[in-house]
mmCIF file of all heavy atoms in Angstrom:
data_model
loop_
_atom_site.group_PDB
_atom_site.id
_atom_site.type_symbol
_atom_site.label_atom_id
_atom_site.label_comp_id
_atom_site.label_asym_id
_atom_site.label_seq_id
_atom_site.Cartn_x
_atom_site.Cartn_y
_atom_site.Cartn_z
ATOM 1 N N THR A 130 52.034 -15.108 3.571
ATOM 2 C CA THR A 130 53.482 -15.017 3.715
ATOM 3 C C THR A 130 54.130 -14.531 2.428
ATOM 4 O O THR A 130 54.995 -13.677 2.408
ATOM 5 C CB THR A 130 54.049 -16.411 4.125
ATOM 6 O OG1 THR A 130 53.498 -16.791 5.340
ATOM 7 C CG2 THR A 130 55.586 -16.314 4.289
ATOM 8 N N ASP A 215 36.884 -6.647 -7.698
ATOM 9 C CA ASP A 215 38.070 -7.025 -6.927
ATOM 10 C C ASP A 215 37.800 -7.496 -5.523
ATOM 11 O O ASP A 215 38.650 -8.032 -4.858
ATOM 12 C CB ASP A 215 39.007 -5.759 -6.886
ATOM 13 C CG ASP A 215 39.754 -5.484 -8.149
ATOM 14 O OD1 ASP A 215 39.734 -6.374 -9.016
ATOM 15 O OD2 ASP A 215 40.345 -4.399 -8.242
ATOM 16 N N VAL A 237 0.006 5.492 18.041
ATOM 17 C CA VAL A 237 -0.955 4.486 17.603
ATOM 18 C C VAL A 237 -1.669 4.891 16.320
ATOM 19 O O VAL A 237 -2.138 4.004 15.584
ATOM 20 C CB VAL A 237 -1.997 4.212 18.679
ATOM 21 C CG1 VAL A 237 -1.345 3.531 19.875
ATOM 22 C CG2 VAL A 237 -2.700 5.519 19.114
ATOM 23 N N SER A 282 19.809 -1.657 -3.114
ATOM 24 C CA SER A 282 19.460 -2.841 -2.216
ATOM 25 C C SER A 282 18.682 -2.405 -0.973
ATOM 26 O O SER A 282 18.525 -3.214 -0.079
ATOM 27 C CB SER A 282 20.732 -3.549 -1.836
ATOM 28 O OG SER A 282 21.414 -4.020 -2.993
#
Side-chain angles (χ1 to χ4, degrees):
T130 301
D215 284 346
V237 292
S282 301

